[in-house]
Amino acid sequence: MAQQTLEKNGMAIPYAGWFLVQANVIMITPLLVPVANHFHVGLAAVTLALTAYLLLFGVMQPFYGLLSDSAGRVRVMRLGLAGVSLGNLIAALAPNVALLITGRAVAGAFAAALAPVTVAYIGDRVPPGRRQRVMAGLMSVAAIGTATGTISAGVLNDLINWRAAIFLVAAGAAVLAALYGRLPETLAVKISGRDALRRLGEVFRGGWFRFLTIFAFFEGAAMVGFYNFFSSALQVHGKNAAIAGIVTGSYGLGAVVGGVIVRSIDSRVTAAGLFGGGCTLLLVGFLAAAFSQTIPAILAAGLLAGMALAIAQSTIQTWMIEASPPDVRGTAAAVVASAVFTGAALSTAAVGGLAAGGQFRLLFGIAALVTLPVTVVGALARARFSRATVPA
C-alpha cells in the first residue's frame, strides 16, 4: 500500500508536465484560422506552425532520450519545460507568421524532452504488472490536456485574442520547470553518451524493435496526425473558434472513457486485442468525419479518436518497454516516439493543401485508409510478439 501511494504521489508532477505538453501540441489547431486571418495569409501557410512543431517534436526525441540515459531523467525534463516556455513566449509575441512558426518550432524542439523521458521515468519507477494501467492513465491525461488546450485556446481567442493561450502555456511551463526539481532521479548509474550509443546499436539489432520503430511512423500518422484538422473542418464550415474548440474537446472525454476501459479489461483482453479494438474506433471516427463535417459528426469523431488514443497508444508504449533493455529505456522510448510524431508531422504536411481547399471529406477519407492497415498489421504483430517473447 505504501508503495502504491508513493507511485501515485510520485507520478503527479510528471502527469502535470505531460498534460501541459499535450495541451501545447494541440492548442494551435483552433487558432489556425484566426491566425491566418490576423496575418492575412493562407491556411496552408499557418499550418506550418503545426507541422514545424510536430516535426521538431519528433526528430529531437532521440537526442533527449540519449541524454536522459546519461545525464538523468529529471534534469532533461526540466530543460525541456524551460525551452517550451521560451518558445511559446516567442510565438505569443510574434509580429508576423514567420516568427510564430519559429517560436512554435522552438517549443516543439524542447517539448520533445518530455514525451520519451516521461515514459522512461514511468518505466523506471512502475513495476511491469502496473505499467499498462499507468500508461493508459498517461494517455488519458494526454487527451485531457489535448481537450483543455483545444477548448481554452478557442475560448481565449474569442474572449481576448489568439496570443492569450500561447502566453498561458509559456507561464505554466516555467512554473513546472521549477516544480520538477522536487522529483527524485531514477537512474542509479548514469551511462556515458558513447556507451548509450553502443547499447542503442544493440537494441536495433533486435528485429522487434526495428519493426516497432518503422511501424510507429505509420501509426503516428493515423493516431496523432489527421485528427488535428477536426477543428479547422468546423471553422471552415462557419463555426467560430470557441465552438470548434468545445466540440473537438470531446477528444479528452473519449480518452478518459478509454482509460477506464483499459483499467477494467486489461487483465482479460490481450494487448493485441486492445490495439486492434482501439484502432478500429479511430477508423470509425475518421469515417464519420469524412461523411459529414457537422457538429454531431466531429463530436463523435473526437470521442472515438480520444478513446483510441487511450486504448491503442498505451499498448504501443508498453510494447516499447517490453522490447527494449531497461538501461537504455529512455533512448528506446525516444526513438519510438520520434517515429510517431515524425509520421504525424509529415501526415499533416501532406494533407495541409486539402485543408486549405476545404476538402475535408477527402482528407478524412485518406485518414481512414491509412488507419485500416495500421489496425490489421499492428494487431497481428502485437499478438505474434506476445507469443514470441516474455514481458520485461
Side-chain angles (χ1 to χ4, degrees):
M1 181 65 70
Q3 179 65 23
Q4 292 180 357
T5 301
L6 176 62
E7 289 170 5
K8 290 179 181 178
N9 292 339
M11 290 302 109
I13 293 176
Y15 271 31
W18 191 269
F19 170 92
L20 182 134
V21 167
Q22 297 304 316
N24 187 39
V25 170
I26 199 67
M27 69 175 177
I28 197 67
T29 59
L31 302 179
L32 293 176
V33 173
V35 169
N37 293 335
H38 177 85
F39 289 121
H40 306 291
V41 297
L43 183 59
V46 181
T47 300
L48 290 175
L50 171 63
T51 300
Y53 184 102
L54 290 174
L55 184 61
L56 270 295
F57 190 61
V59 300
M60 289 295 293
Q61 292 195 33
F63 167 76
Y64 290 115
L66 180 63
L67 186 62
S68 79
D69 284 335
S70 57
R73 316 284 192 220
V74 175
R75 183 178 299 175
V76 170
M77 290 189 287
R78 294 186 73 188
L79 171 66
L81 285 164
V84 168
S85 180
L86 174 62
N88 279 304
L89 187 61
I90 293 170
L93 297 173
N96 53 55
V97 72
L99 198 56
L100 169 70
I101 293 170
T102 300
R104 289 295 292 169
V106 170
F110 279 96
L114 272 293
V117 182
T118 300
V119 172
Y121 189 79
I122 290 173
D124 292 341
R125 298 199 68 193
V126 179
R130 287 175 47 83
R131 284 177 188 157
Q132 180 73 45
R133 295 186 181 190
V134 174
M135 289 300 175
L138 194 68
M139 293 303 102
S140 295
V141 169
I144 294 171
T146 298
T148 303
T150 303
I151 294 170
S152 61
V155 171
L156 286 171
N157 174 78
D158 283 8
L159 292 178
I160 307 174
N161 56 41
W162 61 265
R163 301 178 191 272
I166 304 177
F167 266 122
L168 186 62
V169 171
V175 171
L176 280 174
L179 290 177
Y180 265 61
R182 300 179 180 180
L183 291 176
E185 188 53 81
T186 58
L187 294 181
V189 178
K190 299 177 182 179
I191 61 177
S192 69
R194 180 179 297 179
D195 194 34
L197 284 172
R198 179 183 60 79
R199 297 189 191 190
L200 179 60
E202 294 175 0
V203 169
F204 270 109
R205 282 198 288 271
W208 276 114
F209 193 82
R210 290 199 303 270
F211 166 81
L212 185 57
T213 302
I214 296 169
F215 175 74
F217 176 89
F218 297 98
E219 190 265 348
M223 186 72 64
V224 186
F226 299 111
Y227 78 86
N228 287 289
F229 294 101
F230 286 162
S231 180
S232 296
L234 287 175
Q235 291 183 63
V236 167
H237 285 82
K239 305 300 184 292
N240 63 32
I243 294 298
I246 291 170
V247 172
T248 55
S250 62
Y251 183 89
L253 176 61
V256 173
V257 173
V260 171
I261 291 173
V262 169
R263 286 190 291 273
S264 63
I265 68 173
D266 72 321
S267 61
R268 302 191 300 274
V269 178
T270 65
L274 286 171
F275 183 83
C279 285
T280 299
L281 294 175
L282 181 66
L283 174 62
V284 174
F286 283 142
L287 290 174
F291 179 76
S292 173
Q293 292 83 57
T294 60
I295 286 178
I298 298 299
L299 180 69
L303 281 167
L304 291 169
M307 292 174 67
L309 183 79
I311 296 171
Q313 190 66 25
S314 62
T315 304
I316 292 291
Q317 303 290 2
T318 55
W319 191 354
M320 179 281 304
I321 290 173
E322 292 171 13
S324 61
D327 53 357
V328 289
R329 188 172 281 144
T331 306
V335 169
V336 173
S338 176
V340 168
F341 285 98
T342 301
L346 295 183
S347 69
T348 60
V351 299
L354 295 177
Q359 300 181 62
F360 291 101
R361 182 183 296 271
L362 177 58
L363 190 158
F364 294 125
I366 291 172
L369 286 176
V370 173
T371 302
L372 181 59
V374 166
T375 303
V376 176
V377 172
L380 292 175
R382 188 62 177 88
R384 185 174 178 182
F385 175 83
S386 297
R387 291 193 298 269
T389 62
V390 177

